[in-house]
């Protein structure tokens, strides 16, 4: 009932290919992730941007999820998987879910042929927040977002979703009366959609990427433990 | 294949009893937990001490697991279960697993008729740490540990495992050349064993107890969010 | 910054009480959970129904979350906490979240003085599902739901939320043209609200309860492992 | 206190490089994972084998962890991260931890200059199991293991750890009196060590790889849900 893979005594078949003979040694992990997720090998541009977006979002300093994972490993040093799981649980709506919300907004707006000004006005007058705008640290620009947009243009993959994301930046600035940072979530969603990725990729890509970042923090935690210190300082700070 | 419970269209059977007719409204949650875990309803002393130990270990301020759970809820406010899971993952060997290690030590030492001095010497000369001794905050005594031991004596449930735990405190002081705090983990294990609980209870009781504490912190977090602030202070502290 | 508890070298203070002196040995776990969650000790009826609801929802056979937890323990036998966490992650909107949705529906409808027929019609015509109705196994009645409602009447705690839940059962039957099972989620929510519990309790109570059930399944799994067998049969079934 | 990355208003620095300027668009995800984990960019062979090993271990049909994750998503469809976390928690000692144990065995045996026959005999006479041997499905050979070993030879990276792994296969066959499958865990560990990876990589690589497989299963689950069906069949099977 799954079309992804099937294991037999003498071979493993993944998406209709022989894992040992056709894939191992022939495809990189990024291409393989695309094959697993979509059933197809990526085009060159799909692979290039999948790499780019995974690199863009994997790591960003002592994020709350990295801190939570390090505290968890300090408390349970034998379970790397437990600490990774604790960190992934922080990939929620506020922190990493924005790409998913951006993808929904872009998909619906482009499909319905809506105007960015109208979308911005509607959200603003309902007292809402436009997903993908604002960042606690990166002001006025998020360097990762700008870099993704520049490469999308340079390599000719920018399409209607990237165009809408850009126009939305101007519309938001007009509607809110000041520029808001277009953060990394919006270009991730826009580029994935323009390259034909399924909507689930807008959440799956950040989760895979952050797993790599979490593993790096946990490897560092094993060598140089700061988990309990972080917890202690956090708790003292709160007195 | 499970002996715990079975659901039918018109009734749910738990440990051979009718859930709606025989259990709901007749047994408290503590007794029910005992029934689920062991297959039997507890004696009065088993219920009393199960309540006591669950109360003793449920909550202890801004523990790392409470901090990690609050950060996780801040990042993913829609998933109370995700934040609870992140917190439970911190119930590892360093933090809550000590009761399990204490239970193993006590069970083996009492069954083999060993001397506390010999056990302490063996661990010390191997460069090890005796589980259940030492506490970063509670010195020279852990008030929870003392209270459990006092009630065990008062109610006549102290048996060979409680006796060994007490004797081990003196043996450890002699062997290490100074008194070490007997922390809450050791009496939890000793009392559970003297009351005939299965070994798994020494880990299950702290996990259930801490789930209650986590839920309280997460309810407070929903009303009065400090998760991101805790993460920020922790990260700044680490610069 | 937390009002729940604070640990000092010689004592632990929980909700302003001395843990070792005032609480341990004096309050049961159910009362303590109430104190942790709300800041107050429960009234007799609050304690009685908190016990009742925790017992009602803790266990229900080989639920998906129990199966997932047993598979996880089979794969990682050293981490009871990891298997519990995996099981709790299944306490989502489809399975245990219904109580939370029921509480929202009841709270809003009662506060706004709405009619059950109007609420049922509105949901039906929008193509929605009323939370708390329907059950894959329990038909036409969920014995746990009926027992909770009967005890709420018997003990005089039924108030406007229980009344609305009952009237909604009739309204749903009229609107859908057939009776639907009022499942356990709706009385849990209704009774908690009529007893003055905070809304978060409608999710916290099922999570604490299911943790007890998970711990029982995992204790059984340690003695009598079926986790891999369950996974194998599930996978074969899907061929 | 972390050497991995640091975010500033106008740039993000990762391992001393400028994320947007030096890394995004210049390095693939596999290279970036190496940089995050170790602090260095990989050599060509390190990158090639990191890709190979990630591809080898990412997916293997309806594994228990994939089944558990699909059940969890069925129960909580809004939380992709929760279902991924539940699946990762199954990356324990029995299932994916073998690579870590293999790495420890190989590292110690090669460092101490031990003989494979002696190692096999010691484990056998203690009633133990050699990590990395045996597989429920792949007999007599695990095609992934053979492919990794062949490529390691072909590309000239086989060193003392690969040599020990191979010699251990013969020693195990002699000691147990029959050939046992050398499963994928042993070549993963051997190649990583011969290429100079840190020991933590033997656990981190499988976790990152399986996250990709989990995301594929969860994307499929969203399109074509089988989670509850799997749980139901598993539970029926157990009657």
């Amino acid at each position: 009932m799954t079309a992804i893979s099937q294991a037999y005594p003498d071979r493993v078949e993944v998406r209709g290919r022989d894992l040992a003979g056709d894939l191992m040694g022939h495809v990189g992990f990024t291409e393989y992730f695309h094959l697993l997720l979509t059933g197809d090998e990526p085009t060159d541009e799909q692979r290039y941007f999948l790499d780019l977006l995974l690199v863009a979002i994997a790591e960003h300093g002592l994020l709350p999820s990295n801190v939570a994972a390090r505290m968890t490993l300090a408390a349970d040093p034998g379970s790397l998987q437990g600490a990774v799981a604790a960190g992934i649980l922080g990939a929620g709506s506020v922190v990493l879910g924005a790409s998913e919300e951006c993808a929904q907004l872009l998909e619906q707006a482009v499909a319905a042929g809506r105007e960015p000004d109208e979308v911005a006005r509607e959200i603003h007058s309902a007292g809402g927040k436009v997903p993908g705008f604002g960042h606690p640290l990166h002001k006025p620009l998020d360097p990762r977002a700008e870099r993704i947009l520049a490469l999308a243009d340079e390599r000719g993959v920018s399409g209607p979703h990237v165009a809408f994301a850009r126009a939305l930046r101007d519309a938001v600035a007009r509607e809110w009366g000041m520029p808001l940072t277009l953060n990394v979530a919006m270009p991730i969603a826009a580029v994935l959609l323009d390259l034909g990725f399924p909507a689930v990729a807008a959440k799956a890509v950040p989760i895979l990427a952050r797993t790599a970042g979490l593993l790096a923090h946990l490897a560092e935690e094993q060598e140089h433990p700061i988990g309990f210190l972080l917890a202690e300082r956090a708790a003292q700070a709160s007195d």
Side-chain angles (χ1 to χ4, degrees), chain A:
Chain A
M1 279 171 104
T2 175
I4 300 171
S5 79
Q6 185 74 34
Y8 303 96
D10 63 342
R11 75 184 194 288
V12 181
E13 224 173 83
V14 179
R15 296 292 190 187
R17 289 134 176 105
D18 177 54
L19 172 59
D22 299 337
L23 298 169
M24 287 171 61
H26 296 297
V27 299
F29 182 54
T30 302
E31 290 154 272
Y32 190 56
F33 176 49
H34 190 281
L35 178 66
L36 286 171
L37 195 68
T38 69
D40 296 308
E41 287 179 40
T43 64
D44 283 355
E45 291 305 328
Q46 283 173 332
R47 192 206 48 70
Y48 179 86
F49 280 93
L50 190 48
D51 267 325
L52 175 71
L53 301 180
L54 286 164
V55 169
I57 198 73
E59 174 59 17
H60 195 261
L62 275 173
L63 294 162
S65 55
N66 288 334
V67 172
R70 293 183 83 137
M71 288 177 188
T72 305
L73 191 69
D76 193 12
S79 180
L80 189 62
Q81 61 273 26
V84 171
I88 285 176
L89 288 169
S93 55
V94 175
V95 172
L96 279 188
S99 295
E100 198 181 19
E101 288 176 67
C102 290
Q104 284 161 1
L105 183 153
L106 291 174
E107 205 165 35
Q108 290 166 10
V110 169
R114 300 189 68 191
E115 290 300 320
D117 277 310
E118 185 199 341
V119 170
R121 199 176 315 124
E122 191 179 284
I123 296 173
H124 194 209
S125 59
K129 264 180 51 108
V130 189
F133 284 90
H135 196 281
L137 178 66
H138 297 306
K139 293 168 196 164
L141 295 175
D142 180 335
R144 302 163 299 166
E146 302 307 314
R147 177 78 171 142
I148 295 169
L149 291 174
L151 285 167
D153 289 354
E154 198 180 307
R155 300 179 71 99
V157 311
S158 296
H161 299 94
V162 168
F164 194 94
R166 277 214 172 87
L168 193 59
R169 160 145 63 182
D170 298 333
V172 162
R174 278 190 294 273
E175 185 63 31
W176 265 259
M178 59 174 176
L180 292 179
T181 302
L182 179 78
N183 69 44
V184 71
M186 185 62 86
I188 289 178
V191 166
L192 287 172
L193 291 173
D194 277 340
L195 281 163
F197 280 84
V200 69
K203 188 77 187 273
V205 166
I207 288 177
L208 183 64
R210 283 286 157 92
T211 303
L214 283 164
L215 288 165
H217 276 278
L218 295 169
E220 190 181 60
E221 179 72 21
Q222 287 183 338
E223 291 297 310
H224 177 58
I226 59 169
F228 281 138
L229 181 63
L230 293 172
E232 198 184 301
R233 301 260 177 106
Q236 284 174 345
S238 76
D239 286 346

